[in-house]
Amino acid sequence: MRRPCLDCKRITTSTRCPTCQRTYRARYNSEWQRTSRAARAAQPWCDWCHATTDLVADHLIPGRPDLGVRTLCRACNTRRVTGGAGPLPGR
C-alpha cells in the first residue's frame, strides 16, 4: 500500500521513505536507547498526566537529547506530536 512518509510526506510503500528511514535510524541509535532508559528510570511517571505505564522518553528539542529529555506516556507523547498542548483530559 502506498502512503505518505511520516516525516517528509513523499509517497512511499513503508512508513518512511528510504531517505527518512536512514535519518530516523541514525537518530534513534544505541546512545538514544541508553538515554531513554535512564530518563524513564529517573522519572518513572508521565510529566503531564502522571501515568506510570507505557512510558517513552521525549526530546525537548527534536533530535537533540543533549538539550533535555522528559518522560511522557505514549498517549501524551502522541498528543504532543500531533499538536495537542498539555496532558490528556481526565488523565
Side-chain angles (χ1 to χ4, degrees):
M1 178 162 73
R2 297 174 61 81
R3 64 185 128 215
C5 170
L6 291 174
D7 297 324
C8 71
K9 308 303 182 214
R10 287 184 217 140
I11 300 300
T12 185
T13 56
S14 187
T15 55
R16 288 184 172 80
C17 72
T19 301
C20 292
Q21 185 62 32
R22 281 189 298 277
T23 302
Y24 179 81
R25 283 189 179 147
R27 187 182 310 150
Y28 294 100
N29 58 19
S30 60
E31 182 181 344
W32 168 250
Q33 296 301 321
R34 283 190 299 275
T35 300
S36 173
R37 271 194 304 275
R40 289 178 284 133
Q43 181 183 318
W45 63 88
C46 175
D47 238 12
W48 286 2
C49 73
H50 308 289
T52 58
T53 58
D54 203 15
L55 300 174
V56 297
D58 176 46
H59 303 90
L60 293 176
I61 297 176
R64 296 292 310 268
D66 56 318
L67 297 179
V69 175
R70 66 180 162 201
T71 303
L72 294 177
C73 68
R74 195 168 306 278
C76 287
N77 189 52
T78 299
R79 181 161 187 217
R80 184 198 60 78
V81 170
T82 58
L88 293 168
R91 292 217 47 200

